[in-house]
Amino acid sequence: MVLSATTCLEPTQLELWLSTDLPCDKLHGTAVTVGHLGELEDKPASMSSTFCERRPDGSSGLGMLVVVPSGERDGPLALKVVTAVDASSTDACGPSPDPLNAYRGCIVARRALRYLPHDTVRLTVPMLAECENVSCDARSTCFKAGLCLPADVTCTSRGCRFVGDEADVFPNPSGGAAGTSGAGGDPGGTGGRGGAGGQAGAGGVSVVNQIAAGTDHSCALVNGGDVRCWGRNDFGQLGDGTTTYRFTPVAMLASPGGPPLAGVQALALGGDHGCALLGGGDVRCWGRNDSGQLGDGTETDRPTPVAVLQAPGGPPLTGAQALALGDTHSCAWMSGGDVRCWGLNGSAQLGDGTSTERLTPVPVQFEPGVGGASP
């Protein structure tokens, strides 16, 4: 999806939260396919994962998937989720000429959506144990054992429900999905935000590869190397070129007013700042910089990433392999095996044999007198 720079609108995105009432040791992976309803059965999975996390309430979280729709505005967006239970893997979860054997040992759920452009839609999809071996047809989904309903769902501030069902089926994880309605209905839905709009086309899937959290902000690294952040932003710690707090993820920019930052391989967040590891071992940092924790040779806050320098006024740091951040200092593990740190050093947290604040990286002194920086 390409947006005009004059619209100041954020792209549409769907946050898909997956859960199940089964324990993790009973599961063998989950796969999600994105496309057109009725055409998902033979299409390869858009992503697959073996992630499973037991929750205090006894349910199991299967992760969150971010889908960024693109394509024709009136094209349908549909999802098929399969979880392998008795099946050895999601590869064995598929249609069959014999309906009685379709999706044997698996739980399958389908959803078809309509929503307004530029909204963030949050949708939970529970993979219910009683729906194991219940495949329904290509345009329906299992609601409970023996009952299949049309896969169209309507979302409001109270939750989401299947079209034609009077009771709320499942809540939204973050207080509602604005501007959604069942496929074929009016955009805006029941209680959603009204106005012109239609279905967004099925498009790319952004799989969350890494999540990181600072004091009051969080970031996710998605496939393709893009970064999206949300939360407090008074020091520019979200990297979107602003100091505006964000209740949902926004794209990190490569520079103020520039394109999104791309090619990120790993993330690390500190108290009010963050750093990203790019290809070639380059390091970019953003956010609060009152102690030089961004490593760019200054103490100036940065609302978009800046290159960490080898020395004040020197070239960018290269060859980093991993990052670790504290509240007001940062460190990089280098390809040669050494470690370099920068930022606040009042408690000797930089390990360079001094307590002097450093605005660019200095080597950690692992042996007395070796690799240290001068006071």
Side-chain angles (χ1 to χ4, degrees):
M1 177 180 291
V2 178
L3 299 178
S4 168
T6 61
T7 62
C8 296
L9 296 175
E10 298 174 6
T12 301
Q13 66 180 24
L14 168 67
E15 294 178 5
L16 184 68
W17 298 77
L18 307 178
S19 64
T20 182
D21 51 356
L22 286 167
C24 292
D25 59 6
K26 300 291 186 183
L27 308 178
H28 301 285
T30 298
V32 180
T33 305
V34 180
H36 293 196
L37 187 64
E39 300 177 2
L40 298 175
E41 305 313 299
D42 297 316
K43 184 177 179 180
S46 304
M47 65 81 62
S48 60
S49 172
T50 57
F51 175 83
C52 186
E53 182 179 54
R54 198 66 171 164
R55 296 169 172 170
D57 63 1
S59 66
S60 297
L62 301 178
M64 186 269 279
L65 178 71
V66 178
V67 180
V68 181
S70 61
E72 296 299 325
R73 179 170 175 169
D74 293 327
L77 173 61
L79 309 160
K80 182 183 74 172
V81 185
V82 295
T83 296
V85 184
D86 291 331
S88 59
S89 71
T90 56
D91 291 338
C93 297
S96 170
D98 179 4
L100 295 178
N101 291 318
Y103 295 98
R104 297 296 297 178
C106 309
I107 302 170
V108 59
R110 300 178 183 88
R111 298 289 186 270
L113 304 170
R114 183 191 292 269
Y115 49 85
L116 290 175
H118 318 304
D119 277 336
T120 294
V121 179
R122 299 178 184 86
L123 179 67
T124 57
V125 178
M127 308 300 288
L128 303 175
E130 61 182 315
C131 286
E132 183 181 354
N133 302 326
V134 181
S135 64
C136 304
D137 61 41
R139 294 181 174 274
S140 302
T141 193
C142 176
F143 174 50
K144 55 186 176 182
L147 177 61
C148 294
L149 292 176
D152 305 334
V153 295
T154 296
C155 296
T156 72
S157 60
R158 294 184 300 121
C160 297
R161 64 177 179 230
F162 293 111
V163 172
D165 190 78
E166 295 301 323
D168 283 347
V169 177
F170 42 85
N172 289 320
S174 300
T180 66
S181 70
D186 293 330
T190 306
R193 190 166 55 202
Q199 291 178 343
V205 176
S206 295
V207 181
V208 176
N209 294 329
Q210 182 192 347
I211 192 78
T215 299
D216 295 306
H217 72 296
S218 307
C219 294
L221 172 62
V222 301
N223 65 327
D226 297 334
V227 179
R228 296 177 193 171
C229 300
W230 59 97
R232 186 172 178 173
N233 198 26
D234 48 341
F235 298 103
Q237 54 262 55
L238 304 189
D240 68 338
T242 77
T243 54
T244 302
Y245 290 28
R246 304 291 187 177
F247 293 92
T248 57
V250 292
M252 181 171 294
L253 303 182
S255 60
L261 183 68
V264 176
Q265 298 182 349
L267 284 176
L269 296 188
D272 295 311
H273 75 296
C275 295
L277 179 64
L278 279 66
D282 295 345
V283 181
R284 308 278 177 89
C285 299
W286 62 93
R288 190 170 186 171
N289 196 28
D290 56 339
S291 298
Q293 56 263 50
L294 303 190
D296 68 339
T298 77
E299 292 179 316
T300 303
D301 296 347
R302 305 292 187 179
T304 56
V306 291
V308 174
L309 304 181
Q310 294 183 23
L317 183 71
T318 59
Q321 293 190 106
L323 302 172
L325 274 58
D327 186 45
T328 50
H329 75 293
S330 310
C331 294
W333 176 43
M334 308 301 293
S335 58
D338 61 321
V339 177
R340 301 184 187 182
C341 298
W342 57 96
L344 190 65
N345 198 24
S347 298
Q349 53 263 57
L350 303 189
D352 68 338
T354 78
S355 57
T356 303
E357 178 182 288
R358 304 293 182 177
L359 305 185
T360 55
V362 291
V364 172
Q365 181 177 299
F366 288 100
E367 299 178 18
V370 177
S374 60

